[in-house]
Amino acid sequence: MKPLILHPDRLFPSDPRTRAIARALHATVKDLPIISPHGHTDPRWFATDAAFANPSELLIVPDHYVFRMLMSQGVKLEELGVPTVDGSATESDPRAIWHRFAAHYHLFRGTPSRLWLDWVFAEAFGIDVRLEPETADHYYDIIDAALKTPDFRPRALFDRYNIEVIATTEGPLDPLDHHRAIRQSGWGGRVITAYRPDPVMDPDIARFADNVRAFCAMAGEDAGSFAGYLRAHEKRRADFRAAGATSTDHGHPSAFTVHLPRTEIEALYAKALAGPVSSRDAELFRGHMLVEMARMSIDDGMVMQLHPGVHRSHNAAVLARFGRDKGGDIPVSGEFVRALKPLLDLHGNDPRLTLILFTLDEDVYSRELAPLAGHYPALRIGPPWWFHDSPEGMRRFRERVTETAGFYNTVGFNDDTRAFLSIPARHDVARRMDCAWLAQLVAEHRLEEDEAFELARSLSYDLAKQAYKL
């Protein structure tokens, strides 16, 4: 068996002097509480505090980072137990799923998933040998036994990893029952929601009209009028705020915004309810509604997050058989300067609005996002997201953004994950990479050492807490 060792200097600079600075910085932030302001963990975990079923259900089946890599090398999603849309059978033996994963673990060499998973294996479960086909059962038995103990229930892990607050993400039709149950349970962990209204704001989403009618009915409003539809958003936002929400989240195809005259948006709304609309009309409706969301955020104080630039569910066969969020989302190019101008003309100078921008198009970091956030009081730049939530992605982000936007127009780090145990692993990577970047600035005499220590804490903790009003 080959040893599994997490080197204490992992991700730190190779130059001895710079590495020593990074070590010193990291020592002051490594144990800070975790602020997880945006993610997709299941609130049911914290409401019921039920044990995780088995190693595969915890670490493989819900994690599209894992199964998209395996699928790329010919492993079928059915063989990994990923549920199908129609309920047809897939692999049900969790040990068999684990063996397939172990047989292909070498595929993750050089990826952030390998960093996160090795951290989980070593830090969470105390495993000291590498995952290989020969050690698959050893791993499975250790993890499975641990999951049967109280120490590995969701609430215990929340406390163990010093999570101060975690935000889940729910859609506009969610009754928020799990969040209500968490509050009523008397447990002290802070689990809040975030408002993701895409299913009732994007006419390109399947069953859009049915979603809108159910949404308005839930809010006690008339779906037949655009005014009633807007009031439904205001009421549901209030419901989400009562469940702890401080933010909204918008996963639109682009950052396009537009402010249509009232008669035009009312006609477009009626058209979208009546049936399918053109791609142009769908974009106009989404663009206008982003402006409406900004107005509402100024009124109720909720922070806006905009995550554009993804071709969702690119693999049509996977979408049809397994549904959304199954690893088939692919980045596309982005544009923000012209796209956001209508919204910024109305609200960009209002300090009551916080709009956090994310991108998967790294070319716009220095050309568009940094100049925009370095000028408009309402704008902040979200951290490297999704495909760029990686050591090199974080380094490129700091290199391209800091000189124009500075550090304080960014918002720290968020893990944006469905895999619970990857949360502390991801924050470990982010804190190490930020300390490595700060150490380089100190070593090059571009930053004073006392300033670096202040920034290390800000990037690890303070900025996220402030930006998301936590």
Side-chain angles (χ1 to χ4, degrees), residues 160-202:
R160 173 179 172 180
Y161 291 114
N162 199 18
I163 298 174
E164 182 173 315
V165 58
I166 188 171
T168 66
T169 306
E170 275 68 58
L173 299 177
D174 195 296
L176 302 177
D177 290 341
H178 297 310
H179 285 277
R180 193 172 299 109
I182 293 168
R183 295 196 304 276
Q184 293 172 352
S185 72
W187 175 55
R190 188 178 178 193
V191 179
I192 63 176
T193 185
Y195 184 56
R196 178 77 174 251
D198 296 0
V200 297
M201 277 179 53
D202 186 354

mmCIF file of all heavy atoms in Angstrom, residues 160-202:
data_model
loop_
_atom_site.group_PDB
_atom_site.id
_atom_site.type_symbol
_atom_site.label_atom_id
_atom_site.label_comp_id
_atom_site.label_asym_id
_atom_site.label_seq_id
_atom_site.Cartn_x
_atom_site.Cartn_y
_atom_site.Cartn_z
ATOM 1 N N ARG A 160 -18.088 20.119 13.891
ATOM 2 C CA ARG A 160 -16.686 19.674 13.850
ATOM 3 C C ARG A 160 -15.842 20.574 12.964
ATOM 4 O O ARG A 160 -14.684 20.884 13.302
ATOM 5 C CB ARG A 160 -16.632 18.232 13.354
ATOM 6 C CG ARG A 160 -15.232 17.683 13.110
ATOM 7 C CD ARG A 160 -15.318 16.250 12.643
ATOM 8 N NE ARG A 160 -14.033 15.712 12.218
ATOM 9 C CZ ARG A 160 -13.859 14.464 11.762
ATOM 10 N NH1 ARG A 160 -14.882 13.643 11.704
ATOM 11 N NH2 ARG A 160 -12.668 14.060 11.384
ATOM 12 N N TYR A 161 -16.412 21.003 11.835
ATOM 13 C CA TYR A 161 -15.634 21.800 10.894
ATOM 14 C C TYR A 161 -15.866 23.295 11.074
ATOM 15 O O TYR A 161 -15.522 24.086 10.196
ATOM 16 C CB TYR A 161 -15.907 21.326 9.469
ATOM 17 C CG TYR A 161 -15.320 19.955 9.263
ATOM 18 C CD1 TYR A 161 -16.135 18.851 9.035
ATOM 19 C CD2 TYR A 161 -13.952 19.746 9.383
ATOM 20 C CE1 TYR A 161 -15.578 17.587 8.903
ATOM 21 C CE2 TYR A 161 -13.401 18.495 9.257
ATOM 22 C CZ TYR A 161 -14.218 17.415 9.021
ATOM 23 O OH TYR A 161 -13.674 16.166 8.906
ATOM 24 N N ASN A 162 -16.431 23.668 12.230
ATOM 25 C CA ASN A 162 -16.488 25.068 12.622
ATOM 26 C C ASN A 162 -17.183 25.915 11.556
ATOM 27 O O ASN A 162 -16.694 26.986 11.169
ATOM 28 C CB ASN A 162 -15.075 25.600 12.898
ATOM 29 C CG ASN A 162 -15.078 26.872 13.735
ATOM 30 O OD1 ASN A 162 -16.069 27.181 14.382
ATOM 31 N ND2 ASN A 162 -13.969 27.591 13.715
ATOM 32 N N ILE A 163 -18.321 25.404 11.071
ATOM 33 C CA ILE A 163 -19.106 26.150 10.089
ATOM 34 C C ILE A 163 -19.975 27.147 10.841
ATOM 35 O O ILE A 163 -20.818 26.765 11.650
ATOM 36 C CB ILE A 163 -19.966 25.210 9.224
ATOM 37 C CG1 ILE A 163 -19.060 24.246 8.435
ATOM 38 C CG2 ILE A 163 -20.840 26.016 8.267
ATOM 39 C CD1 ILE A 163 -19.814 23.185 7.649
ATOM 40 N N GLU A 164 -19.749 28.411 10.610
ATOM 41 C CA GLU A 164 -20.520 29.454 11.289
ATOM 42 C C GLU A 164 -21.887 29.629 10.655
ATOM 43 O O GLU A 164 -22.900 29.824 11.340
ATOM 44 C CB GLU A 164 -19.748 30.774 11.260
ATOM 45 C CG GLU A 164 -20.440 31.901 11.984
ATOM 46 C CD GLU A 164 -19.568 33.145 12.077
ATOM 47 O OE1 GLU A 164 -18.365 33.016 12.401
ATOM 48 O OE2 GLU A 164 -20.092 34.248 11.828
ATOM 49 N N VAL A 165 -21.934 29.594 9.335
ATOM 50 C CA VAL A 165 -23.202 29.728 8.624
ATOM 51 C C VAL A 165 -23.050 29.055 7.266
ATOM 52 O O VAL A 165 -21.984 29.115 6.642
ATOM 53 C CB VAL A 165 -23.610 31.207 8.465
ATOM 54 C CG1 VAL A 165 -22.543 32.002 7.722
ATOM 55 C CG2 VAL A 165 -24.955 31.340 7.766
ATOM 56 N N ILE A 166 -24.126 28.414 6.822
ATOM 57 C CA ILE A 166 -24.131 27.811 5.492
ATOM 58 C C ILE A 166 -25.445 28.160 4.810
ATOM 59 O O ILE A 166 -26.518 28.095 5.422
ATOM 60 C CB ILE A 166 -23.940 26.275 5.566
ATOM 61 C CG1 ILE A 166 -23.753 25.675 4.179
ATOM 62 C CG2 ILE A 166 -25.101 25.593 6.275
ATOM 63 C CD1 ILE A 166 -23.344 24.213 4.214
ATOM 64 N N ALA A 167 -25.366 28.599 3.566
ATOM 65 C CA ALA A 167 -26.552 28.926 2.781
ATOM 66 C C ALA A 167 -26.809 27.817 1.775
ATOM 67 O O ALA A 167 -25.926 27.476 0.987
ATOM 68 C CB ALA A 167 -26.367 30.260 2.064
ATOM 69 N N THR A 168 -27.992 27.247 1.827
ATOM 70 C CA THR A 168 -28.437 26.344 0.775
ATOM 71 C C THR A 168 -29.115 27.196 -0.303
ATOM 72 O O THR A 168 -29.177 28.421 -0.191
ATOM 73 C CB THR A 168 -29.400 25.290 1.333
ATOM 74 O OG1 THR A 168 -30.600 25.937 1.777
ATOM 75 C CG2 THR A 168 -28.771 24.548 2.509
ATOM 76 N N THR A 169 -29.623 26.577 -1.347
ATOM 77 C CA THR A 169 -30.272 27.319 -2.423
ATOM 78 C C THR A 169 -31.566 26.606 -2.773
ATOM 79 O O THR A 169 -31.551 25.432 -3.124
ATOM 80 C CB THR A 169 -29.373 27.385 -3.672
ATOM 81 O OG1 THR A 169 -28.095 27.906 -3.300
ATOM 82 C CG2 THR A 169 -29.990 28.272 -4.739
ATOM 83 N N GLU A 170 -32.684 27.331 -2.679
ATOM 84 C CA GLU A 170 -33.975 26.731 -2.992
ATOM 85 C C GLU A 170 -34.696 27.518 -4.081
ATOM 86 O O GLU A 170 -34.485 28.730 -4.238
ATOM 87 C CB GLU A 170 -34.853 26.673 -1.730
ATOM 88 C CG GLU A 170 -34.618 25.443 -0.854
ATOM 89 C CD GLU A 170 -33.236 25.448 -0.198
ATOM 90 O OE1 GLU A 170 -32.923 26.396 0.534
ATOM 91 O OE2 GLU A 170 -32.469 24.490 -0.439
ATOM 92 N N GLY A 171 -35.551 26.808 -4.815
ATOM 93 C CA GLY A 171 -36.320 27.427 -5.886
ATOM 94 C C GLY A 171 -37.559 28.117 -5.359
ATOM 95 O O GLY A 171 -37.964 27.942 -4.202
ATOM 96 N N PRO A 172 -38.236 28.883 -6.212
ATOM 97 C CA PRO A 172 -39.369 29.701 -5.769
ATOM 98 C C PRO A 172 -40.595 28.895 -5.368
ATOM 99 O O PRO A 172 -41.477 29.420 -4.704
ATOM 100 C CB PRO A 172 -39.656 30.578 -6.989
ATOM 101 C CG PRO A 172 -39.175 29.762 -8.159
ATOM 102 C CD PRO A 172 -37.964 29.044 -7.655
ATOM 103 N N LEU A 173 -40.649 27.617 -5.773
ATOM 104 C CA LEU A 173 -41.789 26.773 -5.418
ATOM 105 C C LEU A 173 -41.512 25.922 -4.180
ATOM 106 O O LEU A 173 -42.365 25.141 -3.762
ATOM 107 C CB LEU A 173 -42.155 25.855 -6.597
ATOM 108 C CG LEU A 173 -42.565 26.579 -7.879
ATOM 109 C CD1 LEU A 173 -42.830 25.589 -9.003
ATOM 110 C CD2 LEU A 173 -43.808 27.438 -7.643
ATOM 111 N N ASP A 174 -40.345 26.067 -3.598
ATOM 112 C CA ASP A 174 -40.003 25.272 -2.415
ATOM 113 C C ASP A 174 -40.779 25.795 -1.201
ATOM 114 O O ASP A 174 -40.762 26.994 -0.921
ATOM 115 C CB ASP A 174 -38.496 25.357 -2.145
ATOM 116 C CG ASP A 174 -38.027 24.290 -1.172
ATOM 117 O OD1 ASP A 174 -38.461 24.328 -0.008
ATOM 118 O OD2 ASP A 174 -37.224 23.428 -1.568
ATOM 119 N N PRO A 175 -41.444 24.904 -0.457
ATOM 120 C CA PRO A 175 -42.190 25.379 0.727
ATOM 121 C C PRO A 175 -41.304 25.733 1.906
ATOM 122 O O PRO A 175 -41.797 26.238 2.916
ATOM 123 C CB PRO A 175 -43.097 24.183 1.051
ATOM 124 C CG PRO A 175 -42.361 22.994 0.528
ATOM 125 C CD PRO A 175 -41.655 23.477 -0.717
ATOM 126 N N LEU A 176 -40.015 25.438 1.810
ATOM 127 C CA LEU A 176 -39.041 25.756 2.864
ATOM 128 C C LEU A 176 -39.324 25.018 4.167
ATOM 129 O O LEU A 176 -38.965 25.477 5.260
ATOM 130 C CB LEU A 176 -38.982 27.275 3.103
ATOM 131 C CG LEU A 176 -38.626 28.131 1.868
ATOM 132 C CD1 LEU A 176 -38.684 29.614 2.223
ATOM 133 C CD2 LEU A 176 -37.252 27.755 1.319
ATOM 134 N N ASP A 177 -39.946 23.842 4.048
ATOM 135 C CA ASP A 177 -40.285 23.069 5.244
ATOM 136 C C ASP A 177 -39.044 22.645 6.025
ATOM 137 O O ASP A 177 -39.067 22.622 7.256
ATOM 138 C CB ASP A 177 -41.096 21.822 4.852
ATOM 139 C CG ASP A 177 -42.492 22.172 4.364
ATOM 140 O OD1 ASP A 177 -42.947 23.297 4.655
ATOM 141 O OD2 ASP A 177 -43.114 21.334 3.689
ATOM 142 N N HIS A 178 -37.973 22.278 5.317
ATOM 143 C CA HIS A 178 -36.767 21.820 6.020
ATOM 144 C C HIS A 178 -36.136 22.953 6.814
ATOM 145 O O HIS A 178 -35.647 22.746 7.937
ATOM 146 C CB HIS A 178 -35.774 21.226 5.030
ATOM 147 C CG HIS A 178 -36.286 20.009 4.331
ATOM 148 N ND1 HIS A 178 -36.848 18.945 5.002
ATOM 149 C CD2 HIS A 178 -36.330 19.682 3.003
ATOM 150 C CE1 HIS A 178 -37.212 18.015 4.128
ATOM 151 N NE2 HIS A 178 -36.916 18.449 2.917
ATOM 152 N N HIS A 179 -36.144 24.144 6.246
ATOM 153 C CA HIS A 179 -35.605 25.282 6.986
ATOM 154 C C HIS A 179 -36.471 25.600 8.204
ATOM 155 O O HIS A 179 -35.949 25.964 9.265
ATOM 156 C CB HIS A 179 -35.478 26.493 6.064
ATOM 157 C CG HIS A 179 -34.325 26.390 5.118
ATOM 158 N ND1 HIS A 179 -33.047 26.731 5.477
ATOM 159 C CD2 HIS A 179 -34.242 25.941 3.835
ATOM 160 C CE1 HIS A 179 -32.229 26.521 4.451
ATOM 161 N NE2 HIS A 179 -32.933 26.040 3.450
ATOM 162 N N ARG A 180 -37.769 25.444 8.048
ATOM 163 C CA ARG A 180 -38.655 25.649 9.191
ATOM 164 C C ARG A 180 -38.368 24.616 10.277
ATOM 165 O O ARG A 180 -38.307 24.951 11.483
ATOM 166 C CB ARG A 180 -40.106 25.550 8.715
ATOM 167 C CG ARG A 180 -41.139 26.038 9.714
ATOM 168 C CD ARG A 180 -42.518 26.087 9.084
ATOM 169 N NE ARG A 180 -42.551 27.008 7.951
ATOM 170 C CZ ARG A 180 -42.655 26.614 6.675
ATOM 171 N NH1 ARG A 180 -42.734 25.335 6.363
ATOM 172 N NH2 ARG A 180 -42.663 27.509 5.718
ATOM 173 N N ALA A 181 -38.164 23.376 9.862
ATOM 174 C CA ALA A 181 -37.876 22.325 10.837
ATOM 175 C C ALA A 181 -36.549 22.572 11.559
ATOM 176 O O ALA A 181 -36.426 22.304 12.758
ATOM 177 C CB ALA A 181 -37.852 20.964 10.135
ATOM 178 N N ILE A 182 -35.560 23.082 10.845
ATOM 179 C CA ILE A 182 -34.270 23.394 11.478
ATOM 180 C C ILE A 182 -34.473 24.448 12.568
ATOM 181 O O ILE A 182 -33.973 24.304 13.691
ATOM 182 C CB ILE A 182 -33.258 23.890 10.425
ATOM 183 C CG1 ILE A 182 -32.888 22.761 9.464
ATOM 184 C CG2 ILE A 182 -31.994 24.435 11.107
ATOM 185 C CD1 ILE A 182 -32.135 23.226 8.226
ATOM 186 N N ARG A 183 -35.216 25.497 12.241
ATOM 187 C CA ARG A 183 -35.425 26.570 13.220
ATOM 188 C C ARG A 183 -36.198 26.065 14.439
ATOM 189 O O ARG A 183 -35.919 26.465 15.569
ATOM 190 C CB ARG A 183 -36.170 27.739 12.573
ATOM 191 C CG ARG A 183 -35.379 28.443 11.472
ATOM 192 C CD ARG A 183 -35.972 29.805 11.148
ATOM 193 N NE ARG A 183 -37.383 29.736 10.786
ATOM 194 C CZ ARG A 183 -37.824 29.448 9.568
ATOM 195 N NH1 ARG A 183 -36.966 29.163 8.604
ATOM 196 N NH2 ARG A 183 -39.113 29.433 9.307
ATOM 197 N N GLN A 184 -37.162 25.188 14.205
ATOM 198 C CA GLN A 184 -38.003 24.699 15.299
ATOM 199 C C GLN A 184 -37.328 23.623 16.140
ATOM 200 O O GLN A 184 -37.806 23.305 17.229
ATOM 201 C CB GLN A 184 -39.323 24.169 14.734
ATOM 202 C CG GLN A 184 -40.198 25.256 14.117
ATOM 203 C CD GLN A 184 -41.415 24.707 13.386
ATOM 204 O OE1 GLN A 184 -41.543 23.491 13.199
ATOM 205 N NE2 GLN A 184 -42.305 25.604 12.963
ATOM 206 N N SER A 185 -36.227 23.077 15.640
ATOM 207 C CA SER A 185 -35.572 21.976 16.343
ATOM 208 C C SER A 185 -34.806 22.421 17.578
ATOM 209 O O SER A 185 -34.483 21.603 18.443
ATOM 210 C CB SER A 185 -34.613 21.248 15.394
ATOM 211 O OG SER A 185 -33.460 22.053 15.129
ATOM 212 N N GLY A 186 -34.464 23.687 17.641
ATOM 213 C CA GLY A 186 -33.669 24.174 18.751
ATOM 214 C C GLY A 186 -32.179 24.005 18.572
ATOM 215 O O GLY A 186 -31.393 24.438 19.423
ATOM 216 N N TRP A 187 -31.759 23.393 17.469
ATOM 217 C CA TRP A 187 -30.330 23.236 17.190
ATOM 218 C C TRP A 187 -29.730 24.605 16.881
ATOM 219 O O TRP A 187 -30.346 25.453 16.230
ATOM 220 C CB TRP A 187 -30.145 22.282 16.012
ATOM 221 C CG TRP A 187 -28.736 22.117 15.549
ATOM 222 C CD1 TRP A 187 -27.659 21.747 16.294
ATOM 223 C CD2 TRP A 187 -28.241 22.322 14.211
ATOM 224 N NE1 TRP A 187 -26.523 21.700 15.507
ATOM 225 C CE2 TRP A 187 -26.858 22.047 14.224
ATOM 226 C CE3 TRP A 187 -28.836 22.697 13.002
ATOM 227 C CZ2 TRP A 187 -26.062 22.150 13.087
ATOM 228 C CZ3 TRP A 187 -28.056 22.793 11.874
ATOM 229 C CH2 TRP A 187 -26.684 22.520 11.915
ATOM 230 N N GLY A 188 -28.501 24.829 17.321
ATOM 231 C CA GLY A 188 -27.895 26.142 17.194
ATOM 232 C C GLY A 188 -27.194 26.416 15.879
ATOM 233 O O GLY A 188 -26.745 27.544 15.648
ATOM 234 N N GLY A 189 -27.054 25.421 14.995
ATOM 235 C CA GLY A 189 -26.369 25.648 13.733
ATOM 236 C C GLY A 189 -27.144 26.595 12.832
ATOM 237 O O GLY A 189 -28.375 26.509 12.728
ATOM 238 N N ARG A 190 -26.433 27.504 12.179
ATOM 239 C CA ARG A 190 -27.092 28.493 11.326
ATOM 240 C C ARG A 190 -27.088 28.015 9.877
ATOM 241 O O ARG A 190 -26.068 28.072 9.184
ATOM 242 C CB ARG A 190 -26.394 29.844 11.451
ATOM 243 C CG ARG A 190 -27.150 30.974 10.740
ATOM 244 C CD ARG A 190 -26.459 32.317 10.909
ATOM 245 N NE ARG A 190 -27.173 33.363 10.192
ATOM 246 C CZ ARG A 190 -26.684 34.572 9.955
ATOM 247 N NH1 ARG A 190 -25.479 34.897 10.405
ATOM 248 N NH2 ARG A 190 -27.390 35.461 9.276
ATOM 249 N N VAL A 191 -28.243 27.535 9.410
ATOM 250 C CA VAL A 191 -28.439 27.096 8.034
ATOM 251 C C VAL A 191 -29.520 27.980 7.439
ATOM 252 O O VAL A 191 -30.663 27.985 7.918
ATOM 253 C CB VAL A 191 -28.849 25.613 7.960
ATOM 254 C CG1 VAL A 191 -29.063 25.190 6.505
ATOM 255 C CG2 VAL A 191 -27.796 24.732 8.623
ATOM 256 N N ILE A 192 -29.172 28.728 6.418
ATOM 257 C CA ILE A 192 -30.115 29.663 5.802
ATOM 258 C C ILE A 192 -30.328 29.269 4.345
ATOM 259 O O ILE A 192 -29.609 28.432 3.791
ATOM 260 C CB ILE A 192 -29.612 31.107 5.911
ATOM 261 C CG1 ILE A 192 -28.305 31.293 5.140
ATOM 262 C CG2 ILE A 192 -29.433 31.505 7.373
ATOM 263 C CD1 ILE A 192 -27.792 32.736 5.117
ATOM 264 N N THR A 193 -31.315 29.863 3.726
ATOM 265 C CA THR A 193 -31.613 29.579 2.329
ATOM 266 C C THR A 193 -31.192 30.749 1.448
ATOM 267 O O THR A 193 -30.740 31.787 1.937
ATOM 268 C CB THR A 193 -33.112 29.272 2.150
ATOM 269 O OG1 THR A 193 -33.369 28.884 0.789
ATOM 270 C CG2 THR A 193 -33.973 30.484 2.498
ATOM 271 N N ALA A 194 -31.318 30.585 0.138
ATOM 272 C CA ALA A 194 -31.118 31.664 -0.834
ATOM 273 C C ALA A 194 -32.178 31.495 -1.915
ATOM 274 O O ALA A 194 -32.552 30.363 -2.258
ATOM 275 C CB ALA A 194 -29.722 31.617 -1.438
ATOM 276 N N TYR A 195 -32.637 32.591 -2.463
ATOM 277 C CA TYR A 195 -33.764 32.604 -3.395
ATOM 278 C C TYR A 195 -33.274 32.462 -4.825
ATOM 279 O O TYR A 195 -32.597 33.349 -5.349
ATOM 280 C CB TYR A 195 -34.526 33.920 -3.222
ATOM 281 C CG TYR A 195 -35.785 34.073 -4.041
ATOM 282 C CD1 TYR A 195 -36.818 33.146 -3.961
ATOM 283 C CD2 TYR A 195 -35.954 35.191 -4.865
ATOM 284 C CE1 TYR A 195 -37.979 33.317 -4.692
ATOM 285 C CE2 TYR A 195 -37.119 35.380 -5.593
ATOM 286 C CZ TYR A 195 -38.139 34.435 -5.507
ATOM 287 O OH TYR A 195 -39.289 34.608 -6.236
ATOM 288 N N ARG A 196 -33.603 31.331 -5.472
ATOM 289 C CA ARG A 196 -33.181 31.062 -6.857
ATOM 290 C C ARG A 196 -34.434 30.996 -7.749
ATOM 291 O O ARG A 196 -35.021 29.927 -7.929
ATOM 292 C CB ARG A 196 -32.398 29.751 -6.910
ATOM 293 C CG ARG A 196 -31.925 29.310 -8.299
ATOM 294 C CD ARG A 196 -30.713 30.100 -8.758
ATOM 295 N NE ARG A 196 -30.176 29.578 -10.008
ATOM 296 C CZ ARG A 196 -29.022 28.912 -10.123
ATOM 297 N NH1 ARG A 196 -28.283 28.686 -9.052
ATOM 298 N NH2 ARG A 196 -28.596 28.494 -11.286
ATOM 299 N N PRO A 197 -34.877 32.128 -8.300
ATOM 300 C CA PRO A 197 -36.166 32.155 -8.997
ATOM 301 C C PRO A 197 -36.129 31.743 -10.467
ATOM 302 O O PRO A 197 -37.120 31.961 -11.181
ATOM 303 C CB PRO A 197 -36.583 33.628 -8.859
ATOM 304 C CG PRO A 197 -35.287 34.371 -8.864
ATOM 305 C CD PRO A 197 -34.295 33.480 -8.147
ATOM 306 N N ASP A 198 -35.051 31.159 -10.936
ATOM 307 C CA ASP A 198 -34.924 30.831 -12.364
ATOM 308 C C ASP A 198 -36.147 30.109 -12.950
ATOM 309 O O ASP A 198 -36.562 30.426 -14.071
ATOM 310 C CB ASP A 198 -33.678 29.981 -12.619
ATOM 311 C CG ASP A 198 -32.385 30.718 -12.304
ATOM 312 O OD1 ASP A 198 -32.457 31.885 -11.885
ATOM 313 O OD2 ASP A 198 -31.305 30.119 -12.457
ATOM 314 N N PRO A 199 -36.738 29.120 -12.263
ATOM 315 C CA PRO A 199 -37.863 28.393 -12.885
ATOM 316 C C PRO A 199 -39.076 29.257 -13.204
ATOM 317 O O PRO A 199 -39.915 28.861 -14.020
ATOM 318 C CB PRO A 199 -38.215 27.333 -11.827
ATOM 319 C CG PRO A 199 -36.961 27.131 -11.053
ATOM 320 C CD PRO A 199 -36.330 28.489 -10.991
ATOM 321 N N VAL A 200 -39.173 30.440 -12.573
ATOM 322 C CA VAL A 200 -40.289 31.328 -12.880
ATOM 323 C C VAL A 200 -39.814 32.638 -13.512
ATOM 324 O O VAL A 200 -40.605 33.571 -13.684
ATOM 325 C CB VAL A 200 -41.146 31.629 -11.623
ATOM 326 C CG1 VAL A 200 -41.773 30.350 -11.101
ATOM 327 C CG2 VAL A 200 -40.333 32.321 -10.536
ATOM 328 N N MET A 201 -38.532 32.694 -13.888
ATOM 329 C CA MET A 201 -38.004 33.882 -14.557
ATOM 330 C C MET A 201 -37.444 33.589 -15.940
ATOM 331 O O MET A 201 -37.137 34.513 -16.685
ATOM 332 C CB MET A 201 -36.898 34.534 -13.706
ATOM 333 C CG MET A 201 -37.442 35.454 -12.623
ATOM 334 S SD MET A 201 -36.162 36.214 -11.583
ATOM 335 C CE MET A 201 -35.070 36.958 -12.782
ATOM 336 N N ASP A 202 -37.336 32.327 -16.283
ATOM 337 C CA ASP A 202 -36.720 31.937 -17.552
ATOM 338 C C ASP A 202 -37.728 31.180 -18.405
ATOM 339 O O ASP A 202 -37.999 30.002 -18.163
ATOM 340 C CB ASP A 202 -35.489 31.070 -17.297
ATOM 341 C CG ASP A 202 -34.736 30.753 -18.583
ATOM 342 O OD1 ASP A 202 -35.228 31.114 -19.672
ATOM 343 O OD2 ASP A 202 -33.657 30.148 -18.493
#
